[in-house]
């Protein structure tokens, strides 16, 4: 009987505990379940967004793969860049789309648009390599526009070591534009040395040195 009484007392205690805590327990379980469902929904949404961004970017690649684009294809491609950057602005696809847009803008003789696209990558991306690549291309554009001092400043703002050979080449281009032929030759030689050390092909730099009369034996 003592054991039965103990069991009955435990049952009564359990009933009292459930009466006092059951509602909050159910609510807690419901909230936890909702959290799991919400997290799974968020993960699914993110995956769908990534898939959509990838598909649109691949279409952009296919659209711009030719050596020359007609006016309609060029306009469509640039509109597609806007779509990708508006809908997927924090993704790598948006960064790469802006880099493509800069190239398209140059082809469209829209140099201010090209500059804006590259500056947008530098401003928005959190990927050092992509930011460095944008700075490298911006510096090339600045040299072409006759703003070699700005190009040197752009290069000095940060280009990763993986692009060191290209950085040295563009620095040489900027020095040459400023009439600093000695500095240009030194930078171009550095570019060739870095490219050789890293087994990275770098075309045209030796010709630039030759045109200065600074060939390999100079």
């Amino acid at each position: 009987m003592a054991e039965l009484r103990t069991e009955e007392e435990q049952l009564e205690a359990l009933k009292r505990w459930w009466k006092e805590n059951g509602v909050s327990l159910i609510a807690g379980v419901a909230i936890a379940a909702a959290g799991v469902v919400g997290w799974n929904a968020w993960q699914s949404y993110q995956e769908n967004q990534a898939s959509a961004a990838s598909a649109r970017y691949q279409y952009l690649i296919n659209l711009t793969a030719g050596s020359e684009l007609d006016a309609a294809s060029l306009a469509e491609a640039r509109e597609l860049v806007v779509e990708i950057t508006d809908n997927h602005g924090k993704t790598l696809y948006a960064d790469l789309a802006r880099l493509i847009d800069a190239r398209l803008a140059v082809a469209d003789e829209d140099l201010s648009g090209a500059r804006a696209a590259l500056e947008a990558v530098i401003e928005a991306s959190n990927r050092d390599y992509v930011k460095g690549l944008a700075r490298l291309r911006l510096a090339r554009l600045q040299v072409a526009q006759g703003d070699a001092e700005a190009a040197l400043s752009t290069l000095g703002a940060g280009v990763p070591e993986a692009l060191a050979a290209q950085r040295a080449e563009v620095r040489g281009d900027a020095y040459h534009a400023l009439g600093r032929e000695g500095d240009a030759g030194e930078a171009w030689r550095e570019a060739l040395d870095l490219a050789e050390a890293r087994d990275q092909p770098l075309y045209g730099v030796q010709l630039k040195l030759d045109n200065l009369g600074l060939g390999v034996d100079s």
Side-chain angles (χ1 to χ4, degrees), residues 10-20:
Q10 291 174 347
L11 181 59
E12 287 301 320
L14 179 59
K15 289 178 180 178
R16 287 195 302 273
W17 181 90
W18 179 258
K19 185 177 180 180
E20 295 170 359

Side-chain angles (χ1 to χ4, degrees), residues 126-148:
N126 58 4
R127 300 165 181 87
D128 290 341
Y129 183 87
V130 175
K131 288 168 74 80
L133 188 60
R135 287 194 178 101
L136 196 64
R137 294 182 181 181
L138 177 59
R140 286 195 179 106
L141 183 61
Q142 289 167 329
V143 171
Q145 289 182 302
D147 199 356

Side-chain angles (χ1 to χ4, degrees), residues 114-132:
R115 187 165 183 158
L118 293 170
E119 289 173 345
V121 176
I122 295 168
E123 177 68 25
S125 180
N126 58 4
R127 300 165 181 87
D128 290 341
Y129 183 87
V130 175
K131 288 168 74 80

Side-chain angles (χ1 to χ4, degrees), residues 133-194:
L133 188 60
R135 287 194 178 101
L136 196 64
R137 294 182 181 181
L138 177 59
R140 286 195 179 106
L141 183 61
Q142 289 167 329
V143 171
Q145 289 182 302
D147 199 356
E149 291 287 0
L152 292 173
S153 178
T154 297
L155 294 172
V159 175
E161 286 304 304
L163 296 167
Q166 293 87 343
R167 179 183 61 201
E169 180 189 2
V170 180
R171 184 181 291 119
D173 295 346
Y175 286 142
H176 185 255
L178 292 169
R180 295 166 57 177
E181 294 188 354
D183 290 332
E186 183 178 340
W188 286 336
R189 283 199 187 94
E190 179 188 358
L192 286 178
D193 290 343
L194 287 167

Side-chain angles (χ1 to χ4, degrees), residues 59-61 63-82 96-111 113-115 117-118 137:
Y59 180 62
L60 176 63
I61 291 291
L63 185 61
T64 58
S67 56
E68 292 185 11
L69 295 179
D70 58 33
S73 296
L74 183 60
E76 181 183 1
R78 299 199 71 185
E79 288 174 4
L80 185 55
V81 169
V82 173
L96 298 178
R98 287 188 178 102
L99 291 176
I100 291 175
D101 190 45
R103 173 168 59 82
L104 297 174
V106 171
D108 201 24
E109 298 183 354
D110 178 14
L111 298 186
R115 187 165 183 158
L118 293 170
R137 294 182 181 181

